[in-house]
Amino acid sequence: MSRLIVKNIPNLITEAQLKTIFEKKGEVSDVKVIFKGTKNRRFCFIGYKNESDAIKAKEHFDKTFIMMSKISVDFAKTVDDPALPRAWSRHTQGSSAFQKIHKSQEPPVTKKVKKNKEEEQDQEEPKNDQKSKKFQEFLELMKTNKKTNQEICWNDNVNNQVDEIFDKIEKEKPKVVQQPKPNTLANVNERRLYVTNIPYTSTEQELRTVFEKYGTVSSLKIPKQRGGSLSGFCFVEYQLPEEAVRAFSELDNKIVLGRIFHVRPAFKDDKEEQLKQEQQLKQEKMIGEEKSSYKKFKKQQMLERLNDTTSWNTLFLNPNTIIEGICKKYSLDKKEILSEENDDMAVKMAQMETQVIKETKDWLKSVGLNIDFLKVEKNQCERSNITIFVKNIQFRVNETDLNELFSRYGQVNKVFLAPNRSIGIVTMQDDKQATNAFTNLQNYKFKGSILYLEWAPTTLMGEMNKIIEVNPQIEEQENELTRILYVKNINFSTTEKTLLKFMSSKVNDIKKVTIINKEGVSQGYGFIEFDKPESAQKALRLNNLILDDHLLQLSQSKPKPKQDQNKRKQKQEIEPTNKLLIKNLPFEANAQELRRLIKQYGELKKLRLPKKLDGSIRGFAFAEFLNNEEAQNAAESLQNTHFYGRRLVIEYSKEE
């Protein structure tokens, strides 16, 4: 449905001109004008990335004029589409006209004329006489000697010499070992597919959404040319062979993103296996360098969790960097902060971390980066493949140090480093170089501290701002819903025709009436769709709409709420209140320390720490402020703060 066929186009029009015309209704992925030799056949194919854009283009351009030519626009179909009309042209194979023409052109079958046996025998007799005489002479020459039991030949000496020469040649020849033919089926990867004819303007995320309909995609590779443009094909690998088979059957020779995809099984990637083996050797070497068995075990655990996103924390800060930054800012000495006389050391560290996190957020905004991803859950945040967050940086590290470090693994486009050294951002030239740097520098010891790397969100650097893309769709959906009314309290005997006739007498511009049925029985409610939103609003203002002794109740139609696949992770949205629930509290903390930590963000009305029977705290607390604004300020400020090494989780508490 995303590919159109346009007939009766002008003879001299080009593909570039057609693209500029049809781009008015959406993003065009493909334009193909059909030629027969050098002659334009006056029809073309237009591909759109979205089906909605193709539908709009068909409705808009069908039966319109381009350069004085009236065009006709329809949805294109593949060759194996069952809805394709039967071939009728005399030039098309399979048509009856084609078969009739080519039957008459077949050469006539010539019948062999049998000859009489007598004539055949007369002709063969002289030939047989000549053959028999020669054969008799050959037998006399080839008679064997009775004594030696060897054949007598007139050229025995010559034959013996030739035989000796051939024996020497055969001995000197190297023995050729016949190699078995390679089995191509053994080299085929059952989970990997080779897809050609993809749009040159498509992104990795667009292709991933297409392939993820048929299973979980473990890897997607899109080869690029030297200039950075796509090569027009990609490799997709699924987790299960059944998913790859399903994708092959559903996508092969089908119109996707405005182009006809061709899917074939892919061979095993020998380079990937070599890289995996090299990485394993590197990991074994890294583990073997450690002397302590405990360090070896921890390093092996670290390498296994390399791509585990559950442990990622974007605003994780190095405690030593926090202290050095605060000391430099306020001209203090470390001894004054880390003195044994300070009883509230944990509170001071948490307050300093909160201040540095606030400064980091302000710096990210000042640089022009989008920090809306901090409000989204980690699992729902789409990650970039070229931009990397660098965390746990020492205070003495600068931008040139980071640039030199990442330049070992590829070309660095941009480097950002916060003034307080809380976080660094590195953007590589392409995904291969970024992946190489990520795998080699994750948990790399750099100037006294181990670096923690994390893939940055796609919305951070403006690579793919999905919020802008989704908003027009939501607005379009809301505009459509303004034309639809929800009707309930319908009599079970009322039909759609009677409801349409009744409403048409009250309001004009009714497009469609639907009564919901279940197994042929009316459910007592339905929908009325109007051509214009004004007509729907007019119908809403009507009163006393009685049909078949039932008072109809009209209301505006609402969109169906989307539910997550995993209902356990679905959280109920709680309105901001003046009471906070603080979770993941350390068991060493007490009420006095927690009060000192929270009270600087607003006037604390009440603080309650539930305890167990033995007197220890249960790991959560309730803090009540005077108003909602102070509670909101505390929640935003302490959201990423660590207290006694544990990250605080703050939510609004439900009203009792």
Side-chain angles (χ1 to χ4, degrees):
M1 295 290 285
S2 60
R3 192 171 177 85
L4 302 176
I5 179 169
V6 185
K7 299 177 183 178
N8 199 33
I9 60 172
N11 197 14
L12 300 175
I13 197 165
T14 61
E15 291 181 353
Q17 290 172 336
L18 285 167
K19 189 175 182 180
T20 53
I21 291 168
F22 283 88
E23 266 183 343
K24 296 174 183 177
K25 291 298 173 184
E27 189 175 355
V28 175
S29 60
D30 184 33
V31 178
K32 183 70 176 175
V33 179
I34 307 301
F35 287 88
K36 187 177 182 180
T38 57
K39 185 180 178 182
N40 190 343
R41 296 188 64 188
R42 299 195 66 186
F43 72 92
C44 68
F45 293 99
I46 308 290
Y48 284 92
K49 280 193 174 180
N50 298 322
E51 290 186 9
S52 58
D53 295 338
I55 293 167
K56 288 178 187 176
K58 180 186 178 301
E59 292 176 355
H60 179 78
F61 290 108
D62 190 23
K63 296 180 182 179
T64 58
F65 287 85
I66 297 178
M67 295 183 184
M68 303 300 291
S69 296
K70 188 177 181 180
I71 62 170
S72 63
V73 184
D74 200 357
F75 294 111
K77 294 171 184 174
T78 55
V79 178
D80 56 351
D81 195 339
L84 196 70
R86 191 173 66 87
W88 58 269
S89 174
R90 61 191 176 90
H91 301 290
T92 308
Q93 291 183 5
S95 64
S96 57
F98 180 85
Q99 290 175 359
K100 285 178 183 178
I101 292 166
H102 287 269
K103 270 184 182 179
S104 62
Q105 293 179 1
E106 289 180 359
V109 179
T110 56
K111 294 182 179 179
K112 292 181 180 180
V113 181
K114 292 184 178 180
K115 295 181 179 180
N116 295 331
K117 291 182 179 179
E118 294 177 358
E119 293 177 359
E120 290 177 0
Q121 288 176 1
D122 294 340
Q123 291 177 1
E124 289 178 1
E125 277 179 2
K127 292 180 181 178
N128 292 333
D129 293 339
Q130 292 175 3
K131 286 182 180 179
S132 61
K133 288 178 183 179
K134 289 181 180 180
F135 185 67
Q136 291 294 331
E137 291 176 1
F138 175 75
L139 288 174
E140 287 177 2
L141 285 169
M142 299 303 293
K143 282 180 181 178
T144 56
N145 192 356
K146 292 179 180 178
K147 294 181 180 179
T148 58
N149 201 20
Q150 290 182 352
E151 294 178 352
I152 299 168
C153 187
W154 60 272
N155 57 351
D156 277 341
N157 295 327
V158 178
N159 285 339
N160 291 333
Q161 291 176 4
V162 172
D163 290 339
E164 289 176 2
I165 293 166
F166 275 107
D167 289 337
K168 287 181 180 179
I169 292 167
E170 286 179 359
K171 287 178 182 179
E172 291 175 0
K173 275 185 182 179
K175 293 183 179 179
V176 179
V177 181
Q178 290 185 354
Q179 295 181 354
K181 292 181 180 180
N183 188 7
T184 54
L185 293 174
N187 296 328
V188 172
N189 191 345
E190 295 177 349
R191 299 182 292 108
R192 200 161 182 253
L193 297 176
Y194 170 59
V195 186
T196 59
N197 201 32
I198 63 172
Y200 291 95
T201 57
S202 58
T203 60
E204 184 181 349
Q205 190 59 34
E206 288 174 347
L207 292 171
R208 191 175 283 274
T209 51
V210 170
F211 295 121
E212 281 180 346
K213 295 176 184 177
Y214 310 102
T216 52
V217 177
S218 57
S219 69
L220 174 62
K221 289 190 175 180
I222 310 170
K224 294 181 180 179
Q225 298 177 2
R226 287 187 177 180
S229 59
L230 301 185
S231 299
F233 63 92
C234 67
F235 295 95
V236 190
E237 189 169 352
Y238 287 91
Q239 286 188 357
L240 299 174
E242 294 81 8
E243 296 171 346
V245 172
R246 195 183 307 123
F248 173 76
S249 60
E250 293 291 335
L251 291 176
D252 188 29
N253 289 326
K254 297 294 187 296
I255 297 172
V256 184
L257 299 176
R259 304 193 78 168
I260 300 173
F261 277 22
H262 302 293
V263 186
R264 296 290 179 271
F267 292 101
K268 292 178 181 177
D269 194 356
D270 297 333
K271 290 182 180 179
E272 279 191 358
E273 292 179 359
Q274 289 177 3
L275 287 170
K276 284 180 181 178
Q277 290 177 1
E278 288 176 4
Q279 286 179 0
Q280 284 180 358
L281 290 171
K282 282 182 182 179
Q283 290 178 5
E284 289 174 2
K285 190 177 179 182
M286 287 170 66
I287 294 166
E289 287 175 357
E290 300 293 341
K291 295 179 181 179
S292 171
S293 59
Y294 177 74
K295 286 184 178 180
K296 287 181 180 180
F297 172 72
K298 294 299 288 182
K299 205 153 201 173
Q300 190 171 1
Q301 271 190 338
M302 175 266 292
L303 292 169
E304 287 174 359
R305 295 175 185 172
L306 190 64
N307 293 318
D308 186 13
T309 59
T310 55
S311 60
W312 287 359
N313 179 13
T314 305
L315 293 176
F316 174 81
L317 303 176
N318 188 341
N320 190 36
T321 305
I322 295 169
I323 295 169
E324 286 185 8
I326 294 293
C327 291
K328 188 175 181 180
K329 186 175 181 179
Y330 297 104
S331 302
L332 298 173
D333 192 7
K334 275 189 180 181
K335 293 179 181 179
E336 298 177 15
I337 299 173
L338 301 175
S339 175
E340 294 179 357
E341 297 176 357
N342 293 329
D343 297 331
D344 54 352
M345 180 67 65
V347 178
K348 284 186 176 179
M349 282 297 300
Q351 289 173 348
M352 287 189 291
E353 185 182 10
T354 306
Q355 182 180 344
V356 173
I357 288 171
K358 186 178 181 302
E359 291 174 358
T360 305
K361 288 180 180 179
D362 295 338
W363 171 76
L364 287 169
K365 288 179 182 177
S366 65
V367 175
L369 301 176
N370 187 9
I371 62 169
D372 292 337
F373 68 92
L374 295 171
K375 302 174 184 177
V376 184
E377 292 185 8
K378 288 185 290 185
N379 297 333
Q380 297 177 356
C381 185
E382 295 179 3
R383 299 286 173 172
S384 170
N385 56 358
I386 58 170
T387 307
I388 302 171
F389 279 141
V390 188
K391 300 174 290 184
N392 200 33
I393 306 168
Q394 286 287 350
F395 192 77
R396 61 177 181 271
V397 176
N398 52 33
E399 287 186 4
T400 54
D401 295 334
L402 280 180
N403 198 348
E404 288 175 3
L405 178 65
F406 278 84
S407 296
R408 301 175 190 173
Y409 307 99
Q411 186 174 348
V412 179
N413 285 348
K414 291 180 183 178
V415 176
F416 297 99
L417 185 62
N420 52 20
R421 306 300 189 272
S422 57
I423 193 170
I425 302 166
V426 180
T427 305
M428 306 295 289
Q429 188 179 16
D430 56 24
D431 53 349
K432 288 184 180 179
Q433 296 175 5
T435 306
N436 189 23
F438 188 87
T439 52
N440 285 286
L441 293 178
Q442 179 71 284
N443 299 101
Y444 179 79
K445 196 171 184 180
F446 184 60
K447 294 196 174 183
S449 65
I450 295 173
L451 297 180
Y452 299 144
L453 304 186
E454 178 183 332
W455 291 112
T458 53
T459 55
L460 180 72
M461 304 292 290
E463 294 169 32
M464 188 179 62
N465 197 344
K466 214 170 185 185
I467 298 167
I468 297 171
E469 292 179 2
V470 173
N471 285 339
Q473 294 179 2
I474 296 168
E475 290 176 3
E476 187 178 341
Q477 188 180 9
E478 289 176 355
N479 292 332
E480 288 181 2
L481 290 172
T482 54
R483 299 186 293 105
I484 302 172
L485 297 183
Y486 171 67
V487 190
K488 63 180 181 178
N489 198 30
I490 302 172
N491 196 325
F492 294 114
S493 61
T494 304
T495 61
E496 292 180 354
K497 289 183 180 179
T498 54
L499 181 59
L500 177 61
K501 188 178 179 181
F502 176 75
M503 291 302 298
S504 297
S505 62
K506 306 289 183 183
V507 189
N508 297 325
D509 300 328
I510 296 177
K511 186 178 180 181
K512 188 180 178 183
V513 172
T514 306
I515 296 176
I516 305 302
N517 295 321
K518 190 176 182 181
E519 296 179 357
V521 180
S522 173
Q523 299 298 302
Y525 67 93
F527 298 93
I528 303 173
E529 187 177 353
F530 295 85
D531 289 329
K532 298 177 183 178
E534 295 81 10
S535 303
Q537 297 301 319
K538 185 179 178 182
L540 276 174
R541 290 192 289 270
L542 296 175
N543 297 319
N544 298 324
L545 295 173
I546 299 172
L547 177 63
D548 295 336
D549 300 329
H550 276 242
L551 180 65
L552 301 180
Q553 298 178 13
L554 303 179
S555 61
Q556 192 73 49
S557 180
K558 296 178 182 178
K560 188 178 180 181
K562 291 183 179 179
Q563 296 181 353
D564 293 340
Q565 292 179 354
N566 193 352
K567 293 183 179 179
R568 292 181 181 178
K569 293 182 180 179
Q570 208 172 8
K571 294 182 178 180
Q572 295 180 355
E573 293 184 1
I574 302 170
E575 294 183 359
T577 60
N578 65 334
K579 188 182 287 187
L580 297 178
L581 169 62
I582 306 170
K583 297 191 288 186
N584 201 32
L585 276 174
F587 297 104
E588 301 90 349
N590 53 43
Q592 293 178 356
E593 290 177 334
L594 191 60
R595 188 181 292 275
R596 282 199 295 269
L597 177 63
I598 297 171
K599 69 179 182 180
Q600 61 179 342
Y601 304 105
E603 190 171 349
L604 197 61
K605 187 177 178 182
K606 187 179 179 182
L607 180 67
R608 183 166 66 89
L609 273 79
K611 295 184 179 180
K612 300 178 184 177
L613 294 173
D614 58 357
S616 60
I617 65 171
R618 297 181 64 183
F620 62 93
F622 295 95
E624 188 176 354
F625 292 85
L626 282 178
N627 51 45
N628 296 357
E629 288 76 14
E630 292 178 351
Q632 187 176 0
N633 183 28
E636 290 177 356
S637 301
L638 296 171
Q639 191 61 256
N640 294 286
T641 301
H642 290 75
F643 189 42
Y644 278 105
R646 301 186 74 169
R647 184 185 176 189
L648 299 178
V649 179
I650 301 174
E651 298 174 0
Y652 290 104
S653 177
K654 295 179 183 178
E655 294 184 0
E656 296 178 358

